[in-house]
Amino acid sequence: MASFAQKVAALKTQQGELTIFFVGQAGYIIKTASGKLIGLDMYLTDCCARLAGFKRITAKILAPDELDFDYVIVSHDHPDHFDVDALPILMGAGHTKLATSVCGGKHAEEMGIKENVTVMERGGTYKFDDFTIRAVYCDHGDLAPYALGLILEIDGFKLFYAGDTASRPEQVKQFASETFDVMLAPINGAFGNLNERECAEYSKLIGPKLTLPCHFWNFVEHGGDPAKFVTAMAEIAPDNAYTFITQGEYITIRK
């Protein structure tokens, strides 16, 4: 049976398509029609157990050295997003570009990662060879004051990655009139994140073509109940499409 890495490498994304793989927690791999690989907030190791006592209860499906990424994006420096054991390996090829927050940039520099690093701040727009990132507000509390939400525009698709954030609809309203193909947002409700109902409220407010819930089931302490999200969507945003994809699965969106 092919490994997850082999499946990612072998899959061909056609023109007018974008493929999104779920790595687990709040981590994704995006594959473009040109074959570029973009890693987003990938938690690949067990570093949280060592650093914070949070034991992983889901499988590790990708080793940091199994795929050659063109870009790695990290929304903030908490280790389930900024994987301190994986990142030096992910950046080891020499050509991989890292885009991260102010706190992530400082942490990367402390680790000796200084080349091909773009530090993003709220309100900024950052253009790369294959896509654009807009860094937007999110509220992940005093322990991550520079944490970011992200709007990614890739091959004509627009994705809203809410990041680790409390519910702040007044901030989201600033771009809620835009058309989003996908919203990626947490449902765990712990450590200041959106809970199941708040994620449904974000989906109602933003109106993406598809909502992908994340940030659940990776640690006992983090919480998150998909069944509660389904109930909340039926009540709050019954006309909005959503789906759950398990670790290793993917969706391909099309124009």
Side-chain angles (χ1 to χ4, degrees):
M1 181 181 293
S3 69
F4 174 63
Q6 290 170 329
K7 291 177 182 178
V8 173
L11 185 136
K12 304 297 184 184
T13 302
Q14 305 299 321
Q15 291 296 322
E17 296 180 344
L18 194 69
T19 302
I20 303 171
F21 297 86
F22 186 42
V23 180
Q25 186 64 345
Y28 295 90
I29 297 171
I30 300 169
K31 190 166 189 179
T32 71
S34 64
K36 293 293 193 297
L37 287 183
I38 304 167
L40 173 60
D41 276 7
M42 297 182 298
Y43 180 55
L44 305 179
T45 72
D46 290 312
C47 70
C48 284
R50 184 180 79 255
L51 298 173
F54 290 170
K55 178 183 177 180
R56 174 192 279 275
I57 58 173
T58 57
K60 290 180 285 185
I61 64 169
L62 180 69
D65 61 354
E66 284 190 283
L67 288 171
D68 186 5
F69 285 90
D70 298 282
Y71 305 94
V72 173
I73 304 171
V74 183
S75 65
H76 65 289
D77 71 343
H78 286 173
D80 58 323
H81 297 255
F82 189 111
D83 188 327
V84 296
D85 291 346
L87 197 63
I89 302 170
L90 292 168
M91 297 296 293
H95 66 85
T96 306
K97 296 179 174 65
L98 172 65
T100 187
S101 63
V102 170
C103 51
K106 291 179 179 178
H107 203 18
E109 185 172 10
E110 290 167 356
M111 297 170 65
I113 300 171
K114 301 178 181 180
E115 301 295 326
N116 297 325
V117 178
T118 298
V119 175
M120 302 183 294
E121 299 185 54
R122 293 173 185 170
T125 298
Y126 302 87
K127 295 183 178 181
F128 300 90
D129 294 337
D130 302 279
F131 64 101
T132 299
I133 301 176
R134 288 158 54 195
V136 299
Y137 178 90
C138 79
D139 180 0
H140 199 31
D142 293 339
L143 293 179
Y146 300 105
L148 300 172
L150 305 170
I151 295 174
L152 292 86
E153 297 188 49
I154 309 170
D155 291 348
F157 296 94
K158 187 180 290 188
L159 285 61
F160 172 52
Y161 180 76
D164 278 12
T165 185
S167 181
R168 296 291 182 263
E170 67 280 1
Q171 294 291 336
V172 173
K173 286 178 182 177
Q174 297 177 29
F175 50 85
S177 61
E178 299 179 31
T179 300
F180 289 93
D181 295 284
V182 179
M183 180 181 80
L184 312 162
I187 62 168
N188 64 302
F191 302 98
N193 283 359
L194 300 173
N195 62 26
E196 301 88 351
R197 186 175 185 85
E198 290 166 338
C199 183
E201 290 169 347
Y202 263 43
S203 183
K204 175 69 173 180
L205 178 61
I206 294 170
K209 295 176 183 177
L210 181 67
T211 295
L212 293 181
C214 65
H215 220 304
F216 59 93
W217 286 2
N218 204 75
F219 307 110
V220 170
E221 296 85 354
H222 275 199
D225 187 335
K228 289 182 179 179
F229 175 77
V230 170
T231 299
M233 286 293 287
E235 176 187 342
I236 296 168
D239 297 327
N240 288 19
Y242 65 89
T243 191
F244 287 88
I245 52 177
T246 62
Q247 279 185 298
E249 287 187 328
Y250 67 88
I251 60 165
T252 297
I253 56 175
R254 299 175 176 87
K255 284 298 184 185

